[in-house]
Amino acid sequence: MNKKIWDIYAPIYEKAMRGDRMAYGLMYERIPRVIQGMDVLEVATGPGLLAKHVAHAAHKMIATDYSDGMIREAKKGNYPENLHFEVADAEHLPYEDKSFDAVIIANALHIVPNPEKALREIDRVLKDDGLLIAPNFVNHKKGAVSAVWSKILSIAGVQFEHQWNTAEYKTFLESNGWAVVRIEEMPARITLAYAECVKQKKR
């Protein structure tokens, strides 16, 4: 995706996401419980909404996005002192191997041209016993509201490179080396499949 689109979209992204308060509220409640005391990386943080709501539970958290505009927006306002925002590309993360206890990538794998490469980078920086939290939009055109919202995003320049239903998304994660330990659908304008994964054990 064109990086300039996200730089332009950054100032209004938070307002656009307000319609999905219920789904995000469920994540704000769930994620702090599972990252308690951990060193956490978020990939594709956007304007930092999720990070600002969950970082208080972590030991420390770095939230990244490849859009400079998104990171500028993320740095605005108040947020926990243990949270740091940085510009970084999901496919070329500037962190050492096995640096984090948990990695979060929310609503991004479907718009990344090469999500397999992003998952390999996540695997590299995540500790062997670490946790991947990967909620993602699914069923993009199922239902009138979802279809309309998908069309609006497309007109705005936000292209869905990949489209899965929940079962297909689970299979995609598993085919890329992840054992899905929890997956559930959360109601939103475009259905959200909330997934928690660990690395598959090598035989």
Side-chain angles (χ1 to χ4, degrees):
M1 175 168 295
N2 190 330
K3 185 176 179 180
K4 290 182 180 178
I5 291 174
W6 288 111
D7 289 341
I8 294 168
Y9 192 35
I12 63 170
Y13 183 89
E14 182 176 357
K15 296 180 178 64
M17 291 297 101
R18 288 176 183 172
D20 291 324
R21 287 190 187 93
M22 181 181 294
Y24 278 87
L26 292 171
M27 289 194 292
Y28 297 159
E29 181 180 330
R30 168 70 184 173
I31 293 174
R33 296 202 301 266
V34 298
I35 65 167
Q36 191 71 41
M38 293 182 176
D39 291 341
V40 180
L41 172 68
E42 186 185 14
V43 177
T45 190
L49 292 175
L50 182 59
K52 290 176 180 178
H53 280 84
V54 306
H56 65 90
H59 172 244
K60 65 178 180 181
M61 184 170 182
I62 299 173
T64 68
D65 201 279
Y66 89 144
S67 164
D68 300 83
M70 286 293 188
I71 293 300
R72 282 195 299 272
E73 290 298 313
K75 288 181 177 179
K76 295 178 181 179
N78 298 319
Y79 50 89
E81 292 183 358
N82 67 334
L83 172 59
H84 303 278
F85 291 105
E86 299 178 0
V87 176
D89 187 335
E91 296 182 5
H92 302 90
L93 295 171
Y95 308 109
E96 295 182 0
D97 296 358
K98 305 184 192 311
S99 297
F100 300 95
D101 302 301
V103 176
I104 302 169
I105 180 167
N107 298 332
L109 288 172
H110 64 295
I111 58 174
V112 175
N114 190 346
E116 295 85 359
K117 187 172 182 180
L119 287 174
R120 287 196 298 271
E121 273 292 270
I122 289 170
D123 176 84
R124 180 183 66 79
V125 302
L126 186 66
K127 294 178 182 178
D128 289 338
D129 59 349
L131 178 68
L132 167 63
I133 302 171
N136 206 85
F137 290 134
V138 294
N139 300 333
H140 297 88
K141 296 182 179 179
K142 184 177 179 181
V145 175
S146 179
V148 170
W149 187 238
S150 296
K151 183 66 175 178
I152 291 171
L153 291 174
S154 177
I155 292 170
V158 180
Q159 300 296 327
F160 294 157
E161 302 284 348
H162 312 277
Q163 298 191 26
W164 303 288
N165 60 34
T166 299
E168 290 167 343
Y169 183 53
K170 181 175 183 288
T171 298
F172 166 74
L173 292 170
E174 291 171 338
S175 68
N176 281 276
W178 300 93
V180 179
V181 297
R182 181 188 182 103
I183 190 162
E184 63 180 289
E185 291 188 356
M186 295 180 172
R189 284 170 293 187
I190 301 174
T191 302
L192 189 71
Y194 175 85
E196 293 177 6
C197 313
V198 295
K199 296 182 181 182
Q200 291 177 356
K201 293 183 179 179
K202 296 180 181 179
R203 298 179 180 178

